[in-house]
């Protein structure tokens, strides 16, 4: 470019945006990814949180300290409930995008797979410890919800595996630049 062309350059550039509406910022709500909540993994995560809450709330409403198996169920259910809430916040607020060095598809697959195995052991311990001759509605009901949340985590493991393999993405998301 010549000096004359460079002098004319600022006049040739348009700085008008395509939208006439001013950009509005609503603080933390502007970064909420509502598409995640509408997706199958988002719905599964919300269901895991709700059903996981039912598991530990039902156990906590009984004198569970009399059987060590229920202590294990409480440790698993409360820990995974809290971790699932933390994961929901990370994914809902797109914090994972600000940490690109972490392999999120692998992290999610490992988390959900480990959660599935832990909840399966908690279900087995819970179901095996329900006394057969007495009515213990909370303990039996918690065993039912423990297997439900185990199946939810297993489904999340499957979708996390698909995400890790790169399936379910569009071609642009899985293309490596040359």
């Amino acid at each position: 470019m010549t000096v004359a062309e460079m002098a004319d350059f600022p006049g040739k550039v348009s700085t008008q945006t395509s939208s006439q509406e001013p950009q509005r910022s609503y603080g933390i709500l502007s970064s909420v990814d509502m598409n995640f909540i509408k997706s199958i993994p988002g719905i599964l995560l919300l269901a895991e949180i709700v059903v996981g809450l039912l598991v530990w709330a039902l156990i906590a409403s009984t004198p569970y300290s009399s059987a060590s198996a229920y202590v294990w169920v409480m440790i698993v259910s409360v820990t995974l409930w809290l971790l699932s809430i933390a994961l929901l916040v990370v994914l809902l607020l797109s914090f994972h995008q600000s940490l690109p060095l972490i392999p999120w598809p692998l992290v999610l697959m490992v988390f959900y797979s480990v959660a599935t195995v832990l909840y399966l052991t908690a279900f087995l311990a819970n179901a095996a410890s329900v006394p057969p001759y007495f009515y213990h509605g909370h303990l039996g009901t918690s065993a039912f919800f423990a297997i439900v949340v185990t199946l939810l985590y297993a489904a999340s493991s499957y979708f996390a595996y698909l995400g890790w393999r790169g399936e379910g993405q569009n071609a642009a998301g899985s293309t490596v630049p040359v």
Side-chain angles (χ1 to χ4, degrees), residues 22-178:
Q23 295 287 337
R24 294 183 185 148
S25 177
Y26 298 105
I28 199 163
L29 292 179
S30 65
S31 64
V32 173
D33 183 10
M34 292 309 290
N35 290 330
F36 174 72
I37 294 295
K38 297 174 186 174
S39 69
I40 292 174
I43 293 168
L44 285 171
L45 184 56
L46 287 173
E48 290 158 4
I49 291 170
V50 170
V51 177
L53 171 67
L54 289 172
V55 171
W56 71 258
L58 287 166
I59 295 289
S61 66
T62 63
Y64 66 90
S65 60
S66 61
S68 60
Y70 295 123
V71 175
W72 172 247
V73 175
M74 285 295 288
I75 289 170
V76 168
S77 60
V78 171
T79 302
L80 289 175
W81 183 71
L82 291 172
L83 288 174
S84 294
I85 290 173
L87 182 61
L88 177 67
V89 169
V90 165
L91 296 175
L92 193 62
L93 298 179
S94 301
F95 289 152
H96 63 286
Q97 292 176 351
S98 63
L99 301 169
L101 295 177
I102 297 175
W104 285 103
L106 180 63
V107 168
L108 291 175
M109 186 182 72
V110 169
F111 171 74
Y112 286 127
S113 299
V114 169
T116 302
V117 171
L118 288 176
Y119 247 115
L120 181 61
T121 63
F123 160 71
L124 293 172
N126 190 354
S129 300
V130 175
Y133 300 112
F134 299 104
Y135 176 74
H136 291 282
H138 290 208
L139 299 177
T141 306
S142 68
F144 169 76
F145 284 121
I147 194 61
V148 170
V149 77
T150 301
L151 295 173
L152 288 169
Y153 277 115
S156 291
S157 298
Y158 173 73
F159 285 108
Y161 172 75
L162 292 180
W164 176 68
R165 291 274 317 253
E167 299 173 22
Q169 293 182 356
N170 60 18
S174 60
T175 304
V176 179
V178 208

